[in-house]
Amino acid sequence: MDQTGQKRENWGSRFGFIMAAAGSAVGLGNIWRFPYLTGMNGGSAFILIYLFFVFVICLSVMIAEFTVGRNSGKAAVGAYKSKSRNWTFAGVIGVLSGFLIMGFYPVVGGWALAYVVKSFTGLLAAPEAIGDSFGAFIGNPVEPLIWMALFLAMNIFIVSRGVAKGIETAGKILMPMLFVILLLIAARGLTLEGASKGVEFLFKPDFSVVTGQTFLAALGQAFFSLSLGMGCMITYGSYLNKSENLAQNAAIVTVMDTSAALLAGLAMFPAMFAFGFEPAAGPGLVFVVVPSIFAQMGALGPILSAFFFVALVVAALTSSVSLLEVVVAYLMDERSWTRKKAVYISSAIMVAMCIMASLSLGVMSGVTFLGVGAFDFFDILTDKIFLAIGGLLLAVFTGWFVDKEVLRQELTNGGTVSFALFEVWHGLIKYVIPVVIAVIAVTGIMSISQKGLMIFGLAVIAVLALVSKKL
Ligand code: TRP
């Protein structure tokens, strides 16, 4: 029972929970961001570092988030607060990150939505203009805003219906569909002549391109892609049934997320190399390369391209609902708001942020704060600072402030399921992960070009920590 006297919502089934959690993890992070980061960071070496972080750090962090969430039965802020008010700030950073990510994520979701339609309306007919038309589209002061609003409206619809009816149903239908589409596209790309160079780029490491920045980028991406470091999985865990095997579920979600990212890489790079494109194209990569690839496939092109962008919308949607849910769950749990009120008011703020983010790529590109526009501000602040620090705080909290026996009981469902690696996991969470994240954060922050932004982010965390008791 919560304060309002209602029983806490629960997932309808195990499959439903896994689809919702994997739906949260698999998103623009896998299909839009992972390929362009891989391209910009030299390919395979980046992927290896990324995989190392995913399986050594993030899997353990996900287990910890599920455990803390289910044990407390509370969303991010409540889970921390139920131990000590000194920790409230760690949850609040998560809610703040939710707002910040939702300040640009729906913009990209809107692009994907637009490209479903554009696939049929002549985009592919003029392949040489695809790059320029993407630039013109995202810089347009009106068109992307309409698509962003549409994308956000779909979020509002799903999240206002609640956990089981909205989020879970969406995940169960949309997630399997996404994997099928990606497999089809990868199969097509891999059978093109010259595709092997792309496979080589993905799997033959060149460590000469690795710097401190590569590590920070890979770590930030690992957290972002697995939806960790902001209490998202704490919140989803809080809706989870006491009979579920937490470690096993975390492993399934992690493997699904990693497969989706690698599959997206396989869907893109071989075809890119076959057609002679540049891998380091940046955030426009998916939107420029994919239509260009499909433009060369004749009559089937527009249909395949539309399929791809539907998959991207689907992936983005199941992720953005989880981001919105973190904010909504906080307002419901801690402020006793109704679900509808929480959804409407928080999305209104997100719309305002998204408008700034979208315009910062066009008419407002001259307006910067600490050296970056709104889009990059929201992105860099979360991905390069808040998520990793959020993960570090969660690890310290779980390892040092939650009783080890409580964790053991929660993870083994009171001794009814086994978790053979409990001691290993606990050691990682308590000692290894905080140190590794701290080292990477420090070296990465020292070598980053946006120093002002880094200092600003750390200052925000410090201020929140100081005023935390009153939150
Ligand atoms: N993981 C999602 C993606 O890869 C984005 C996302 C959803 C997220 N919820 C999150 C990122 C929570 C960080 C924290 O696109």
Side-chain angles (χ1 to χ4, degrees):
M1 298 278 183
D2 60 21
Q3 311 96 310
T4 52
Q6 283 164 343
K7 195 171 176 303
R8 195 171 183 76
E9 293 173 84
N10 245 299
W11 302 106
S13 67
R14 162 138 205 254
F15 180 70
F17 166 73
I18 291 181
M19 287 301 119
S24 165
V26 178
L28 293 172
N30 305 61
I31 304 175
W32 163 67
R33 204 166 212 255
F34 176 77
Y36 91 70
L37 281 181
T38 301
M40 286 188 352
N41 287 289
S44 172
F46 173 82
I47 296 184
L48 285 178
I49 297 170
Y50 170 79
L51 290 177
F52 176 80
F53 287 151
V54 165
F55 288 101
V56 174
I57 296 186
C58 291
L59 176 57
S60 294
V61 171
M62 189 183 292
I63 295 174
E65 288 208 13
F66 283 166
T67 309
V68 167
R70 191 177 69 177
N71 186 250
S72 66
K74 292 262 169 65
V77 176
Y80 279 112
K81 199 154 97 180
S82 60
K83 266 268 163 305
S84 153
R85 289 188 88 87
N86 288 331
W87 276 96
T88 311
F89 81 102
V92 173
I93 293 170
V95 174
L96 186 64
S97 306
F99 269 113
L100 289 169
I101 298 176
M102 282 303 273
F104 71 92
Y105 207 91
V107 174
V108 184
W111 298 347
L113 208 51
Y115 269 64
V116 174
V117 176
K118 284 179 191 289
S119 300
F120 294 113
T121 55
L123 177 71
L124 308 193
E128 57 309 323
I130 289 173
D132 292 342
S133 90
F134 175 73
F137 166 63
I138 65 167
N140 185 297
V142 184
E143 204 191 336
L145 296 186
I146 298 172
W147 292 106
M148 175 273 287
L150 209 61
F151 181 82
L152 212 57
M154 305 201 296
N155 282 278
I156 295 171
F157 177 75
I158 296 175
V159 177
S160 59
R161 288 165 65 87
V163 171
K165 265 211 303 254
I167 299 177
E168 185 172 340
T169 311
K172 273 201 298 210
I173 301 170
L174 300 177
M175 280 306 295
M177 188 174 124
L178 170 69
F179 271 90
V180 173
I181 296 173
L182 277 178
L183 270 175
L184 281 176
I185 295 176
R188 181 72 193 94
L190 282 168
T191 50
L192 289 169
E193 200 176 325
S196 61
K197 277 207 240 72
V199 178
E200 211 169 277
F201 181 79
L202 285 175
F203 297 111
K204 214 167 132 204
D206 170 10
F207 285 101
S208 68
V209 293
V210 172
T211 65
Q213 277 302 295
T214 318
F215 282 91
L216 185 63
L219 184 72
Q221 172 62 14
F223 272 91
F224 186 90
S225 188
L226 289 163
S227 301
L228 298 174
M230 60 156 283
C232 189
M233 294 306 186
I234 297 181
T235 307
Y236 272 28
S238 77
Y239 301 129
L240 194 54
N241 200 294
K242 285 287 179 196
S243 61
E244 285 301 337
N245 185 331
L246 297 176
Q248 197 183 56
N249 279 322
I252 295 174
V253 172
T254 303
V255 167
M256 281 178 70
D257 185 72
T258 309
S259 330
L262 295 177
L263 206 55
L266 274 179
M268 240 160 281
F269 286 101
M272 264 172 59
F273 278 83
F275 290 130
F277 287 114
E278 205 10 69
L285 187 76
V286 173
F287 294 94
V288 176
V289 168
V290 170
S292 307
I293 292 166
F294 291 128
Q296 313 198 20
M297 290 186 183
L300 222 54
I303 297 168
L304 284 175
S305 167
F307 261 129
F308 178 85
F309 287 109
V310 168
L312 193 55
V313 171
V314 164
L317 195 58
T318 51
S319 299
S320 52
V321 296
S322 76
L323 288 157
L324 182 54
E325 177 67 17
V326 169
V327 175
V328 167
Y330 160 71
L331 294 170
M332 288 170 65
D333 281 2
E334 305 302 316
R335 301 270 166 254
S336 305
W337 288 19
T338 64
R339 181 170 276 279
K340 289 223 155 50
K341 178 178 168 194
V343 170
Y344 295 146
I345 294 184
S346 47
S347 5
I349 297 171
M350 289 162 186
V351 171
M353 294 171 72
C354 285
I355 292 175
M356 293 200 296
S358 185
L359 294 181
S360 77
L361 303 174
V363 288
M364 272 172 50
S365 61
V367 184
T368 59
F369 178 60
L370 300 172
V372 292
F375 189 106
D376 291 338
F377 181 78
F378 301 150
D379 180 14
I380 296 173
L381 210 51
T382 44
D383 174 57
K384 295 257 163 68
I385 314 178
F386 286 178
L387 296 184
I389 303 278
L392 184 148
L393 290 172
L394 177 91
V396 171
F397 177 78
T398 313
W400 297 85
F401 293 85
V402 183
D403 185 62
K404 193 172 171 184
E405 280 318 299
V406 170
L407 293 171
R408 193 194 304 274
Q409 289 298 318
E410 192 64 49
L411 268 164
T412 59
N413 297 347
T416 54
V417 296
S418 73
F419 179 35
L421 294 174
F422 178 81
E423 293 295 333
V424 177
W425 169 79
H426 196 259
L428 280 172
I429 280 289
K430 189 165 181 169
Y431 303 106
V432 180
I433 292 173
V435 174
V436 173
I437 297 181
V439 169
I440 293 168
V442 170
T443 47
I445 288 169
M446 287 192 314
S447 64
I448 204 161
S449 47
Q450 299 96 349
K451 288 242 176 1
L453 192 51
M454 289 293 139
I455 293 165
F456 175 79
L458 295 176
V460 168
I461 295 176
V463 169
L464 282 175
L466 288 174
V467 302
S468 70
K469 286 211 184 67
K470 301 197 187 64
L471 294 168

